[in-house]
């Protein structure tokens, strides 16, 4: 995990802000802070943090309101959020997880526990990012395979046309319509025919390999868990730990 992760702390309690700034900076994090939800949103746009730690009850804009705004925006929705609250209420926690927060910590808190949760959230996000990247690569590979399949079919059609042309030239040669001034015509036609058959054989092998790969992909996709479902399961697991 990178030692220079950027963390934005949003809290209307100055003591809390200064505490997090000092402690997290000492641990190698890059820390910015804001005293309310509106300033926090402005700082998100400017700072684009790797993680947001914020209180749920603040002036101007609450933590819940800011969370709704961030999760509704594709540009910011993937930024993980740890919500701080003086409310140790199950409904409050459930609301937070349903909004999309990654963790919920009740005040007063032990910093060692908070740090462990920060690292866990960042680690989970990095893992999720790797899964996203892997799925993107697989998607691109699948698209490439589909395109190759289409190209193979076009190539086969071209070989069919070439074979047809060879047959026509051969027929003309046998009928005497082709000039005898080309003594090697028969050998050339034979060579072309052999090469055409070899290309067709290689294309058939490639087509079979692509077909096998596409079938394997389809079988894997039947059993795979989508990213959205996976993220919901992770959030549900964290929510159950909090209850």
């Amino acid at each position: 995990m990178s030692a220079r992760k950027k963390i934005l702390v949003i809290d209307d309690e100055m003591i809390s802000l200064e505490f997090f700034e000092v402690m997290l900076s000492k641990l190698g994090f890059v820390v910015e802070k804001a005293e309310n939800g509106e300033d926090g949103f402005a700082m998100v746009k400017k700072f684009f943090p790797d993680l947001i730690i914020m209180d749920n009850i603040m002036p101007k804009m609450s933590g819940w309101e800011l969370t709704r705004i961030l999760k509704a925006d594709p540009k910011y929705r993937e930024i993980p959020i740890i919500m701080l609250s003086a409310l140790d209420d199950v409904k409050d926690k459930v609301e937070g997880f349903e909004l999309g927060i990654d963790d919920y910590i009740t005040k007063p808190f032990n910093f060692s526990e908070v740090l462990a949760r920060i690292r866990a959230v960042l680690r989970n996000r990095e893992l999720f990012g790797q899964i996203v990247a892997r799925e993107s690569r697989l998607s691109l590979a699948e698209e490439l395979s589909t395109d190759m399949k289409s190209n193979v079919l076009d190539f086969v059609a071209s070989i069919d046309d070439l074979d047809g042309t060879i047959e026509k030239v051969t027929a003309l040669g046998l009928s005497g319509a082709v000039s005898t001034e080309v003594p090697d015509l028969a050998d050339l036609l034979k060579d072309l025919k052999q090469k055409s058959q070899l290309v067709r054989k290689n294309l058939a092998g490639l087509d079979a390999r692509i077909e096998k790969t596409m079938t394997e992909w389809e079988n894997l996709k039947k059993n795979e868990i989508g990213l959205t479902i996976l993220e919901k399961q992770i959030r549900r697991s964290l929510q159950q730990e909090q209850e």
Side-chain angles (χ1 to χ4, degrees), residues 38-160:
E38 287 186 0
D39 292 345
F41 187 35
M43 187 58 69
V44 168
K45 297 177 182 178
K46 178 182 177 181
F47 186 52
F48 207 98
D50 296 297
L51 171 67
I52 298 172
I53 301 174
M54 65 175 161
D55 192 16
N56 64 343
I57 302 176
M58 295 183 292
K60 296 186 179 180
M61 182 188 294
S62 70
W64 295 147
E65 291 172 320
L66 179 53
T67 298
R68 288 190 183 92
I69 293 173
L70 295 175
K71 295 306 178 181
D73 192 326
K75 187 176 181 180
Y76 306 116
R77 69 170 52 141
E78 299 304 327
I79 300 175
I81 297 173
I82 294 179
M83 190 67 71
L84 303 176
S85 177
L87 302 175
D88 188 13
D89 183 78
V90 172
K91 291 183 179 179
D92 201 55
K93 295 177 181 179
V94 170
E95 180 184 358
F97 283 110
E98 288 180 344
L99 287 175
I101 67 171
D102 292 76
D103 208 342
Y104 186 103
I105 300 175
T106 304
K107 297 179 179 180
F109 49 77
N110 179 285
F111 182 72
S112 297
E113 179 186 357
V114 174
L115 180 60
R117 289 174 182 267
I118 289 173
R119 287 173 170 164
V121 168
L122 289 174
R123 187 164 53 247
N124 289 339
R125 277 292 162 169
E126 285 191 351
L127 176 60
F128 189 72
Q130 291 172 8
I131 294 174
V132 171
R134 180 176 178 275
E135 184 172 85
S136 297
R137 288 195 298 270
L138 288 176
S139 178
L140 289 173
E142 187 173 3
E143 291 178 10
L144 177 60
S145 181
T146 301
D147 291 342
M148 288 178 63
K149 178 76 173 179
S150 177
N151 290 336
V152 166
L153 294 176
D154 292 339
F155 206 168
V156 169
S158 298
I159 295 297
D160 289 339

Side-chain angles (χ1 to χ4, degrees), residues 210-222:
I210 293 174
E211 192 69 35
K212 180 181 178 182
T213 299
M214 293 178 73
T215 299
E216 291 174 350
W217 268 331
E218 287 300 320
N219 291 335
L220 287 172
K221 287 170 68 176
K222 291 178 182 178

Side-chain angles (χ1 to χ4, degrees), residues 188-206:
L188 288 174
L189 290 172
K190 182 179 179 180
D191 186 44
L192 280 173
K193 188 69 175 179
Q194 290 175 343
K195 290 181 178 179
S196 173
Q197 291 173 346
L198 179 60
V199 172
R200 189 181 294 278
K201 179 180 179 181
N202 291 335
L203 283 173
L206 177 59

Side-chain angles (χ1 to χ4, degrees), residues 15-44:
I15 293 177
S16 181
L17 287 178
E18 293 176 351
F19 172 77
F20 274 113
E21 182 178 31
V22 171
M23 298 301 291
L24 294 176
S25 296
K26 285 182 178 180
L27 292 170
F29 294 100
V30 179
V31 182
E32 286 290 349
K33 55 188 180 180
E35 297 181 20
N36 57 69
E38 287 186 0
D39 292 345
F41 187 35
M43 187 58 69
V44 168

